[in-house]
Amino acid sequence: MSNIRTRIPILNLNPRARREALVFYLMISPWLIGLVLFIVYPMARSLYLSFTRYQIGHEPIVTGLGNFNRLLEDGDFWRSLRVTLLYVLGSVPGQTAIAIGIALLLAQKIRGVNFWRTIYFLPSVVSAVAIAVLWFYVFNPQYGLVNTLLAAIGIKGPGWVFDENWALPSLILMSWWTVGAQVVIYLAGIKAIPQVLYEAVEIDGGGSWARFRHVTLPMLSPVIFFNLILGLINAFQVFDGPMVLTNGGPNKATLTYMLNLYKQAFDFGNLGYASTLAWVLFLIIMGLTALVLRSSALWVYYESEQR
Amino acid sequence: MSTIDETRRSAAQNTLLNRPGGLHLSQSTGRFIGKVFTYTLLTIGAAVMFFPMFWMLTASLKPEWQILTEPISIPSEWVHVQAGNTVQELPLWNTTNPAGEQEEVITIGTRRYTTVIDLNQLTEDMLISAPADALGETQPTEVGNVVLNVRTLTREDGSQIPVASLARDGGNILVAPVEALTAVASRMALAEVNAGERVTVEVGDASFKGRQVSDGPAVLALGPESELTIVGPKAIAEQAILVPAEVPVGESLVPIGNTELLHYSLQGYPADEYYVQLSSETWQPVIDLSDVNASAFAVENARLSEEVTTRTFNLAAMPVRTLTGEDGSQAEVVVLIRTAATSLVIPVEDAGSIRLSPISRLAEPFVLNIGGIPVRYRDDYVEHGEEQSVAIVGERLNMSLVAPQTAITEAFDVASNSLTRVTRLRLYYENYIEALSKDLGGATFFTFFGNSTLLVILNWLGHFFSVTVVAYAFARLRAPGKNILFIILLSTMMLPWPVMLIPQYEIFSRLKMINTLWPLFIRSFFGNAFLIFLLRQFFMGIPQELEDAARIDGANTLQVLWNVMLPLSKPALATIAIFTFWWTWNSFFEPYIYLSSPKNYTVSLGLGFFKSQYRYTFHLLMSASVVAILPIILIFFFAQRYFIEGIQLTGLKG
Amino acid sequence: MKTRKWSMVYLSALTVLGMLIVLGWAGLSPRPVAAQGQVTVTLGSWDDENGNIRHQAAINDFMAVYPDITVEILPNPGGDWHTRILTQIAAGDLPDVYMADSSFVPLYVESGGLVDLRPYIENPDPAIGFDPYEIFYPAVYENGFYQGDPYVLAKDYSTVAIYANKALFDAAGIALPEEGWTYDDLLDVAQQLTVDANGNNAASPDFDPENIVQYGMDHRGDWWRGFQTTIYSFGSHTISDDGTTLDGYINSPETIAALEWMRDAVHEYHVAPSTNWISALPGGVMPLFLDGQIAMIFGMGPWFLSMLEEQPAFQYAILPMPTGPGGHHGAVCWAGFGLSPNSEHPDEAWLLLRALGTEIGQRHYGEHALSSMPIIMEDKTDHPFWGTFIREAEFLAPLDDLTNPYYGQCVGTPAGQQITAVLFGDEGADMDVAELVNQVTPEFQACLDNQGEMPESGS
């Protein structure tokens, strides 16, 4: 049995709480309006479009599950899903390890800390147009830096972004370079670890490894978790690198999910099918995030747990 | 109970167990080694991370060609020497002269040689058909006075003889013993060999595809090919003279060292004076654009005499006709450009600035309209180091740079592949000037800087307004539905952006905001999920007690936010500022979709001007990129301490 | 007190916002407020800044004739022009006149992004219409057709020919080939111009393919349009004339022979580097060509003339394409101007389009590419660079890309990546060409069929 009061929670509150709730909604109203205008409406429209055949310049025609059937038979869809998964598997763990490593180094008491931090942050701020030209030369089989260095020690380097088998690993390597934002977040996490914990380990005679293993890592696990989720989301949507550097090639070896989606929308002008792809990706990301959230209980250490 | 206690205990155990007895480094030594280790790692890491910036910096100071072919080298320029009193310059090369010294030289001639055998003297008994695996590696070897590709043939009886291969014979290779070949082999210029007619010569069962050299035998080129270049002291260039290509005649080959050089006599010069050719190129008559503007005019062809004479101005041959004026007066004019109906002419006495220029300085001219006649011109033409504006007129001419044979007595021959260009260090700082001052569709890079700065300020305003308010509500206020809303907030971070692009574009299009800066900042007034989340986390870290105290003093929510929370949140606000700056400054795709007039372009979009469909102007792209990332580097350098303090992820839980 | 401070902040924030909105509509609005009687039309250009200077010069001449019309160039800074056009078609925001690549014209037409130019061209008023067959090369003009109607007028175009490093030919004593030479001759010349580190050329039994210092030719990598010339010359097309069927065309014996010829040149005769070796440098293999590492490269591109001529003393020659078993046929690369259906000033936009497509614009565009007008090209037929490209135009075959709106996306680009780039890459050495082509054909066909029946447009 429920009456109208219990079904509409806000009416169920005492006046003070009701006022607080009103202030809450008033204060988040800019975000709520933005949400409806720039996210909910576009999402709803694209959800509708995902059930239509919608070519640019024409009216959408509802085709029911037609797009989803097409998706199952679409070689490029499966290919791009595979490429993206491989990319995620390669880039996210690497990025995490490198970012933690750099953050640990930068958290030390070092001279000229501003200088060092700025240098490590640099690769993340160079604009995409310039970065594309840069990597062209780093990975150029003939003139490139990597192969020149390899040749100096007598190894014939591969074709990197121009070789079907090496293009994706090249993109993964690239992603390891631009970890500036993650480093900053880890650094903040490390700085927030109470010094007493380290002192405790030191009193017990623990060395630097013990400090890392038994204090830094557990205390950092919520930050790792946070970065992991953001990293997963970003890696699943990887677009800039394959777009400006390889355009999906050679032979579709770097055709990532987003690139495939983008091509469907803006090369073929097939907005209906692109919307379907987008929604499928959204569901995949949501599902994976949920999985990671579930697993977090096993390895993420929360301060509040000890209370 | 306490995880930390456990941690401590196990840590103590581990370290006690792991520590080898007896090896006790003193604490200060340990720290020193730690320091060295830290700094070494830091430096190596920094070198890797700094590389992109370093590369951009060097590239931004290079000429365009050097970026293409020498990506990791010091910015430098090729050194040239002026040829006589012409505007042409000849490249200088490094080589070792016969005395064993390094010398800077110019090249005078090149000839490519190969080893041939006289097919008529080849006999069946010389030939052996051998499987490829019975033959050793190819080794170019000097045998007698020729070089042969010598291989070792292992015969079935196990004995080995040196052979050279002549032709493929199905799966086998047809070879002949080196000993037998020396008698029939000779060195011959490749030009001579390939000038001969193709012939097929049968020797026993084998047939060879050779060349019938004129006045000589049928030969088979065996290789290896080699190329010799004749070089000479750079002083030779001083004696160079420019003549029309048809003037050098009567070529003859004169030996120099191991090669030969073509000598010519010049038409109109004493027949016993010989010359060598330093270069041959296409030249183009040009005239000062100011002279064209001042004195040239268009006339109907009918008013020009049929009769045409050729007059030479500073070596440039130009057609001269007689112009009959409306009053019947007659004047001699130079025809600069002739179209079907009209001609652009200039009086002979005003044509003094007509001269020749190598076409390499006139590529991709622009077109100007004078009296209905299209005039090609370049306003950045460089002559003797000076930039000038010239119009391109008349017909192209093939010209040769020649030097008297007497000037090249010190010439010698070297292998072509041993020559390297002479370069000298040169920082092309002009790249920066050019990139920043270039007219890019009615705007310059400073316009883009202005737009980006405006956008950053607007986005800052938007984010400071919306993010603080929303984050406070999520951090402190209680309301039904808050948790669901917070999860929605977090999940908006994982939306694929192309889904929303088209509907968003439609919205902005309906609002008539396309090709304005509006779509690029208006959304910041409605918050940003990531920043709201960051600030909420920071707010949660601020003790509730401070807020309660203010409340007791009678402050309302906004006052609490303004007077208590924000002053304590400077680091978090700095973080928001930096992230906003970073995203706004580097965003490419959205400005690309939304902006079309250059006057509205942002910096990252403006960079795209230096990258076109067919061609990059790398040097400009790189110098513009360096300028473009400077603000971010500066801001990060000075604000990074706050930046890091501002990120509070403690107490983070699903 | 404090409350007042807060209301002040809110008030000022609102005021700023309000002012911005007013300012935005007045100052930042896309179309500048025009002077009395003045009409502004926009020109969408994908060219780089040099190209835009040319556009501006043409526009200046245009505005001198039509002083009531102001033209604004909307350039394309680096991104993907096609994306931009599709987005703008979707939102009805196209520039009044814009550049369109020939292979995308069918798609733009199908999407309602281009206006049929026939009513304008055939208008009896000489101030509006003109006789296209009198002033254009008919074949070039008709490249702007889709299903029998003109939608774009050429800005400029190029044929495909072979760039040769004349110094390498001279040193080897090889005469420059002339029109009528065959693919066999090409292979023969390429063999003589491919040299290993020991100085042995590719015809020699001592040739060492592992250490090549100079290659005879390139193979066009994933540039499908470039390779189409060879397919046409071997006697096939890649799609049926009606644009529906690939089977029997892209996998015909002639197409396969063409692919095998090039594959063998790379892997059996080693006269061309493998795809993996050639870096996809901007400008393609041009830097290697200028550096003397490749003696001949296939190129469209009078667009590269400046790169050639800016090299002092670099001696080049432009060779005609060889004749194949099916004759000598070429494929055109073509850029044009089209008219937006959303234009607020269609008549003025047409005047601009007409000016750019005819003499006013062609005088400028003809300066660095081929022009559609014989009158512009007549003094260039003997030019050492232009001559060959102009003569190649006589051999142009109808372009496969124009038969289907999705040819480029479904066949052209993927074929470059999945057929030629693979066959001429390291993996291609032992690959069965017919098997590979037959394997990808159904995929390409499915892509065409999926786009297939276009929903009826508004008309």
Side-chain angles (χ1 to χ4, degrees):
Chain A
M1 282 292 277
S2 65
N3 58 29
I4 192 130
R5 278 188 155 259
T6 50
R7 265 186 281 143
I8 302 177
I10 198 159
L11 300 175
N12 208 12
L13 304 169
N14 64 43
R16 205 190 135 84
R18 198 184 300 166
R19 195 169 165 274
E20 189 173 338
L22 274 176
V23 173
F24 171 81
Y25 278 99
L26 200 64
M27 287 182 83
I28 65 162
S29 60
W31 172 69
L32 269 183
I33 295 168
L35 182 75
V36 172
L37 216 60
F38 297 117
I39 294 176
V40 174
Y41 163 72
M43 287 296 281
R45 179 152 167 85
S46 78
L47 182 61
Y48 160 68
L49 291 181
S50 70
F51 293 101
T52 64
R53 169 179 198 87
Y54 180 25
Q55 292 291 139
I56 278 182
H58 300 262
E59 290 303 311
I61 298 166
V62 177
T63 55
L65 292 176
N67 286 340
F68 292 88
N69 287 334
R70 177 175 160 194
L71 186 111
L72 294 178
E73 291 161 15
D74 183 354
D76 281 351
F77 165 74
W78 294 108
R79 194 173 299 159
S80 66
L81 198 60
R82 203 182 123 258
V83 167
T84 308
L85 281 174
L86 285 176
Y87 177 83
V88 170
L89 286 178
S91 110
V92 175
Q95 277 190 330
T96 308
I98 288 171
I100 294 179
I102 293 176
L104 283 174
L105 266 180
L106 292 178
Q108 310 286 317
K109 287 199 182 64
I110 41 174
R111 278 162 189 278
V113 70
N114 282 16
F115 168 77
W116 293 111
R117 284 183 186 170
T118 308
I119 288 211
Y120 278 87
F121 193 64
L122 267 180
S124 309
V125 298
V126 183
S127 78
V129 182
I131 267 288
V133 180
L134 166 74
W135 287 104
F136 244 74
Y137 285 108
V138 174
F139 285 139
N140 189 294
Q142 264 327 92
Y143 301 120
L145 172 85
V146 182
N147 279 5
T148 312
L149 291 180
L150 285 177
I153 55 170
I155 299 173
K156 190 176 182 291
W160 298 112
V161 287
F162 308 106
D163 183 319
E164 207 177 316
N165 301 316
W166 281 92
L168 192 61
S170 307
L171 288 181
I172 292 173
L173 271 180
M174 264 179 72
S175 76
W176 292 354
W177 219 284
T178 48
V179 289
Q182 296 196 27
V183 169
V184 168
I185 293 174
Y186 282 122
L187 209 45
I190 293 172
K191 287 278 166 187
I193 299 174
Q195 202 57 35
V196 279
L197 296 181
Y198 290 112
E199 285 160 11
V201 175
E202 236 160 75
I203 290 166
D204 290 348
S208 41
W209 170 247
R211 287 208 299 272
F212 172 69
R213 173 67 188 81
H214 297 292
V215 179
T216 314
L217 209 53
M219 291 301 287
L220 209 54
S221 59
V223 184
I224 298 177
F225 171 70
F226 175 75
N227 264 340
L228 196 64
I229 291 198
L230 280 190
L232 270 181
I233 294 170
N234 284 334
F236 260 100
Q237 302 197 35
V238 60
F239 176 75
D240 286 1
M243 174 73 187
V244 294
L245 203 60
T246 58
N247 196 16
N251 199 9
K252 300 192 179 175
T254 56
L255 184 74
T256 62
Y257 197 100
M258 281 299 252
L259 191 59
N260 184 35
L261 192 165
Y262 172 88
K263 281 176 185 279
Q264 279 297 338
F266 297 111
D267 249 18
F268 293 86
N270 207 335
L271 300 182
Y273 188 53
S275 299
T276 312
L277 287 174
W279 268 89
V280 169
L281 176 64
F282 180 52
L283 295 178
I284 292 174
I285 294 179
M286 287 289 267
L288 265 166
T289 313
L291 264 181
V292 177
L293 274 172
R294 284 237 142 169
S295 79
S296 71
L298 299 177
W299 59 275
V300 178
Y301 166 80
Y302 289 110
E303 247 178 305
S304 52
E305 280 170 15
Q306 57 184 304
R307 287 193 195 135
Chain B
M1 180 207 90
S2 162
T3 336
I4 294 300
D5 276 355
E6 275 169 30
T7 311
R8 271 186 217 163
R9 220 174 299 127
S10 63
Q13 278 166 0
N14 278 349
T15 41
L16 283 176
L17 285 175
N18 290 344
R19 181 170 290 183
L23 199 102
H24 283 274
L25 291 170
S26 79
Q27 228 177 1
S28 66
T29 321
R31 236 177 241 156
F32 177 73
I33 291 177
K35 280 252 140 113
V36 170
F37 185 66
T38 306
Y39 279 102
T40 315
L41 269 184
L42 266 178
T43 314
I44 294 171
V48 175
M49 297 311 256
F50 188 62
F51 171 73
M53 193 60 214
F54 171 75
W55 187 84
M56 279 171 58
L57 266 176
T58 55
S60 73
L61 291 165
K62 286 177 185 173
E64 189 180 2
W65 63 265
Q66 209 187 11
I67 303 176
L68 283 169
T69 52
E70 297 176 30
I72 331 155
S73 66
I74 301 159
S76 50
E77 67 178 357
W78 281 330
V79 183
H80 291 87
V81 57
Q82 193 186 331
N85 57 359
T86 70
V87 298
Q88 185 59 302
E89 292 177 322
L90 298 171
L92 282 180
W93 302 82
N94 283 316
T95 192
T96 312
N97 66 19
E101 299 153 347
Q102 280 292 314
E103 189 179 345
E104 292 181 357
V105 294
I106 59 170
T107 62
I108 301 170
T110 295
R111 237 164 130 74
R112 199 171 171 86
Y113 293 89
T114 186
T115 303
V116 298
I117 51 168
D118 184 344
L119 278 174
N120 303 334
Q121 292 186 47
L122 197 65
T123 55
E124 199 178 348
D125 57 315
M126 292 184 194
L127 302 178
I128 309 166
S129 182
D133 55 10
L135 290 164
E137 287 284 299
T138 300
Q139 191 64 48
T141 313
E142 225 173 307
V143 185
N145 52 1
V146 295
V147 179
L148 282 174
N149 285 310
V150 177
R151 296 180 175 201
T152 307
L153 170 67
T154 311
R155 282 185 286 207
E156 275 170 27
D157 58 7
S159 64
Q160 295 187 325
I161 54 160
V163 296
S165 30
L166 305 180
R168 294 195 180 88
D169 178 21
N172 280 5
I173 293 177
L174 220 47
V175 299
V178 167
E179 225 169 278
L181 285 177
T182 45
V184 297
S186 59
R187 180 166 163 274
M188 194 179 264
L190 208 54
E192 225 170 293
V193 178
N194 284 334
E197 288 289 310
R198 286 171 191 273
V199 284
T200 303
V201 176
E202 312 274 342
V203 180
D205 296 338
S207 74
F208 295 95
K209 292 199 172 76
R211 297 272 187 172
Q212 179 64 53
V213 178
S214 58
D215 309 331
V219 297
L220 177 68
L222 292 186
E225 295 169 13
S226 62
E227 201 174 280
L228 293 174
T229 296
I230 296 164
V231 297
K234 58 184 172 186
I236 295 170
E238 287 164 18
Q239 303 195 38
I241 47 173
L242 190 63
V243 296
E246 61 275 10
V247 169
V249 290
E251 57 190 63
S252 59
L253 275 171
V254 176
I256 288 193
N258 286 323
T259 178
E260 301 129 304
L261 184 61
L262 280 170
H263 279 200
Y264 303 84
S265 49
L266 299 187
Q267 260 179 347
Y269 287 68
D272 56 346
E273 279 178 18
Y274 291 100
Y275 289 81
V276 294
Q277 186 166 301
L278 300 179
S279 85
S280 115
E281 252 184 293
T282 310
W283 293 61
Q284 169 74 53
V286 296
I287 179 171
D288 282 349
L289 196 58
S290 54
D291 288 354
V292 174
N293 285 328
S295 318
F297 52 95
V299 294
E300 283 156 29
N301 287 345
R303 286 172 54 201
L304 293 170
S305 62
E306 285 291 312
E307 187 196 343
V308 52
T309 57
T310 300
R311 195 166 304 177
T312 306
F313 300 85
N314 306 312
L315 290 174
M318 297 292 294
V320 171
R321 291 173 191 258
T322 309
L323 170 69
T324 311
E326 270 153 29
D327 56 356
S329 65
Q330 292 205 327
E332 281 203 307
V333 292
V334 181
V335 181
L336 299 178
I337 296 161
R338 190 176 169 90
T339 67
T342 54
S343 294
L344 186 72
V345 299
I346 192 167
V348 170
E349 56 273 21
D350 294 324
S353 71
I354 294 181
R355 59 202 183 273
L356 286 176
S357 155
I359 56 161
S360 57
R361 306 205 190 155
L362 298 166
E364 293 238 358
F366 296 105
V367 182
L368 190 80
N369 197 322
I370 297 180
I373 296 174
V375 181
R376 290 169 210 159
Y377 74 98
R378 280 283 295 247
D379 52 12
D380 52 354
Y381 169 70
V382 177
E383 197 173 277
H384 297 308
E386 265 175 65
E387 205 165 273
Q388 18 192 308
S389 297
V390 292
I392 295 165
V393 295
E395 298 286 323
R396 289 177 167 204
L397 298 164
N398 290 322
M399 304 291 286
S400 291
L401 264 180
V402 296
Q405 188 219 342
T406 50
I408 63 153
T409 47
E410 287 176 61
F412 53 96
D413 62 316
V414 294
S416 297
N417 52 18
S418 71
L419 290 168
T420 54
R421 285 292 280 262
V422 178
T423 58
R424 67 173 161 235
L425 175 74
R426 162 109 151 72
L427 301 178
Y428 284 76
Y429 59 87
E430 310 84 299
N431 291 349
Y432 283 87
I433 299 170
E434 192 182 349
L436 294 181
S437 62
K438 200 159 188 145
D439 177 12
L440 302 165
T444 67
F445 224 74
F446 290 105
T447 320
F448 309 153
F449 255 97
N451 287 331
S452 279
T453 312
L454 180 65
L455 273 181
V456 166
I457 292 171
L458 290 170
N459 276 315
W460 272 347
L461 271 180
H463 279 156
F464 283 140
F465 158 72
S466 62
V467 171
T468 50
V469 176
V470 179
Y472 179 80
F474 274 118
R476 283 293 200 259
L477 300 181
R478 281 171 302 240
K482 178 178 142 182
N483 286 342
I484 294 173
L485 285 172
F486 191 64
I487 288 170
I488 292 177
L489 177 91
L490 291 184
S491 60
T492 55
M493 283 197 261
M494 51 186 94
L495 296 177
W497 50 263
V499 203
M500 296 179 284
L501 189 71
I502 288 285
Q504 283 185 358
Y505 190 95
E506 285 172 354
I507 294 173
F508 287 122
S509 171
R510 231 164 273 161
L511 293 172
K512 292 254 174 271
M513 285 180 177
I514 302 301
N515 198 15
T516 71
L517 297 180
W518 279 86
L520 304 177
F521 73 85
I522 195 67
R523 276 165 296 170
S524 66
F525 283 86
F526 299 98
N528 170 288
F530 180 70
L531 297 180
I532 290 173
F533 172 74
L534 274 187
L535 191 60
R536 170 201 180 251
Q537 293 300 119
F538 196 88
F539 282 164
M540 305 245 304
I542 296 175
Q544 180 75 38
E545 294 78 20
L546 293 173
E547 196 178 323
D548 293 344
R551 293 253 183 211
I552 289 165
D553 288 348
N556 66 26
T557 306
L558 285 180
Q559 287 169 329
V560 169
L561 176 59
W562 181 259
N563 292 324
V564 181
M565 303 302 270
L566 292 187
L568 290 170
S569 308
K570 278 180 195 141
L573 296 179
T575 308
I576 292 177
I578 292 182
F579 270 117
T580 305
F581 188 97
W582 184 10
W583 294 335
T584 312
W585 203 260
N586 272 3
S587 149
F588 176 80
F589 193 74
E590 290 210 326
Y592 178 68
I593 289 291
Y594 287 122
L595 302 178
S596 40
S597 298
K599 63 176 169 37
N600 289 334
Y601 279 3
T602 61
V603 168
S604 59
L605 198 51
L607 286 179
F609 267 114
F610 302 116
K611 174 195 165 223
S612 77
Q613 205 96 334
Y614 307 112
R615 183 170 186 183
Y616 284 71
T617 37
F618 295 103
H619 52 311
L620 302 184
L621 175 61
M622 287 299 124
S623 35
S625 297
V626 169
V627 177
I629 66 171
L630 273 182
I632 310 191
I633 295 178
L634 286 179
I635 285 208
F636 185 80
F637 184 80
F638 290 111
Q640 49 93 11
R641 196 165 58 88
Y642 295 112
F643 190 16
I644 286 155
E645 279 174 22
I647 300 172
Q648 292 267 330
L649 296 166
T650 42
L652 180 80
K653 196 177 178 191
Chain C
M1 189 51 194
K2 279 172 182 171
T3 325
R4 197 162 346 126
K5 193 170 169 188
W6 254 105
S7 7
M8 289 299 289
V9 171
Y10 254 89
L11 214 63
S12 41
L14 279 176
T15 321
V16 169
L17 206 65
M19 276 166 55
L20 283 173
I21 291 172
V22 174
L23 272 176
W25 253 274
L28 301 174
S29 67
R31 288 179 182 81
V33 185
Q36 208 68 39
Q38 194 74 11
V39 166
T40 297
V41 292
T42 50
L43 171 66
S45 148
W46 76 51
D47 277 321
D48 64 0
E49 83 276 29
N50 278 334
N52 287 332
I53 293 173
R54 260 168 241 289
H55 284 304
Q56 192 60 56
I59 286 170
N60 291 345
D61 290 355
F62 169 76
M63 293 196 294
V65 183
Y66 302 94
D68 293 342
I69 307 176
T70 306
V71 183
E72 189 193 356
I73 301 180
L74 305 179
N76 175 49
D80 185 349
W81 179 249
H82 175 58
T83 299
R84 190 158 169 149
I85 291 299
L86 279 189
T87 325
Q88 290 174 337
I89 290 177
D93 266 323
L94 285 165
D96 297 319
V97 177
Y98 66 97
M99 283 175 71
D101 184 307
S102 56
S103 49
F104 289 129
V105 166
L107 180 56
Y108 297 164
V109 173
E110 291 289 355
S111 306
L114 284 173
V115 170
D116 182 0
L117 301 178
R118 193 178 291 281
Y120 293 105
I121 295 172
E122 291 182 352
N123 192 307
D125 181 352
I128 299 171
F130 57 88
D131 181 358
Y133 290 96
E134 194 175 292
I135 64 169
F136 293 140
Y137 292 110
V140 179
Y141 170 59
E142 285 174 4
N143 247 292
F145 279 35
Y146 177 60
Q147 294 185 344
D149 290 316
Y151 285 92
V152 271
L153 295 184
K155 169 184 177 271
D156 52 22
Y157 70 99
S158 172
T159 52
V160 178
I162 295 174
Y163 291 63
N165 183 329
K166 192 164 173 296
L168 299 182
F169 274 75
D170 287 350
I174 300 170
L176 291 172
E178 285 166 11
E179 172 53 38
W181 70 318
T182 65
Y183 276 86
D184 290 342
D185 298 334
L186 173 59
L187 184 62
D188 183 67
V189 171
Q191 276 187 298
Q192 296 184 59
L193 289 172
T194 303
V195 183
D196 69 13
N198 285 333
N200 292 312
N201 67 36
S204 157
D206 293 313
F207 178 67
D208 173 12
E210 297 295 315
N211 290 299
I212 296 172
V213 295
Q214 176 189 312
Y215 282 98
M217 62 194 278
D218 83 322
H219 50 59
R220 291 158 282 189
D222 62 1
W223 183 33
W224 185 248
R225 182 75 61 89
F227 197 77
Q228 275 169 284
T229 54
T230 301
I231 294 177
Y232 299 169
S233 295
F234 271 67
S236 181
H237 273 266
T238 61
I239 194 167
S240 60
D241 289 345
D242 60 1
T244 56
T245 317
L246 294 170
D247 188 45
Y249 297 90
I250 199 172
N251 55 0
S252 70
E254 292 84 4
T255 306
I256 287 167
L259 287 163
E260 278 174 344
W261 182 87
M262 195 71 242
R263 197 270 312 266
D264 291 346
V266 177
H267 294 297
E268 189 180 334
Y269 300 104
H270 306 284
V271 298
S274 104
T275 318
N276 307 54
W277 186 87
I278 291 193
S279 49
L281 287 170
V285 288
M286 190 50 97
L288 301 175
F289 174 70
L290 293 175
D291 201 32
Q293 296 185 49
I294 299 184
M296 294 180 279
I297 61 173
F298 294 93
M300 57 165 180
W303 291 285
F304 294 119
L305 173 61
S306 61
M307 287 181 91
L308 290 182
E309 293 205 330
E310 278 168 11
Q311 306 278 321
F314 184 84
Q315 305 248 326
Y316 65 83
I318 306 297
L319 311 178
M321 289 296 287
T323 302
H328 178 173
H329 300 289
V332 74
C333 304
W334 197 93
F337 292 110
L339 203 59
S340 157
N342 321 116
S343 176
E344 286 171 29
H345 309 288
D347 295 337
E348 288 80 2
W350 162 250
L351 290 179
L352 174 65
L353 172 57
R354 189 182 81 144
L356 298 181
T358 59
E359 192 154 347
I360 290 179
Q362 292 302 305
R363 276 277 169 233
H364 296 277
Y365 303 133
E367 210 42 59
H368 84 144
L370 304 187
S371 164
S372 55
M373 300 176 72
I375 189 171
I376 307 284
M377 300 316 289
E378 64 189 1
D379 63 334
K380 289 189 170 157
T381 46
D382 296 329
H383 190 284
F385 184 87
W386 303 100
T388 308
F389 284 106
I390 295 171
R391 283 187 292 278
E392 279 294 310
E394 293 165 27
F395 302 103
L396 285 181
L399 198 60
D400 290 352
D401 303 48
L402 296 177
T403 59
N404 188 304
Y406 293 99
Y407 182 91
Q409 295 95 317
C410 288
V411 186
T413 312
Q417 291 191 358
Q418 290 171 263
I419 299 178
T420 53
V422 171
L423 281 178
F424 313 151
D426 287 348
E427 301 85 15
D430 307 312
M431 217 170 254
D432 186 305
V433 176
E435 198 177 302
L436 176 75
V437 175
N438 283 322
Q439 184 192 324
V440 294
T441 302
E443 201 181 310
F444 297 170
Q445 184 70 52
C447 177
L448 288 177
D449 295 345
N450 260 324
Q451 316 307 328
E453 60 314 343
M454 297 285 302
E456 282 307 304
S457 49
S459 60

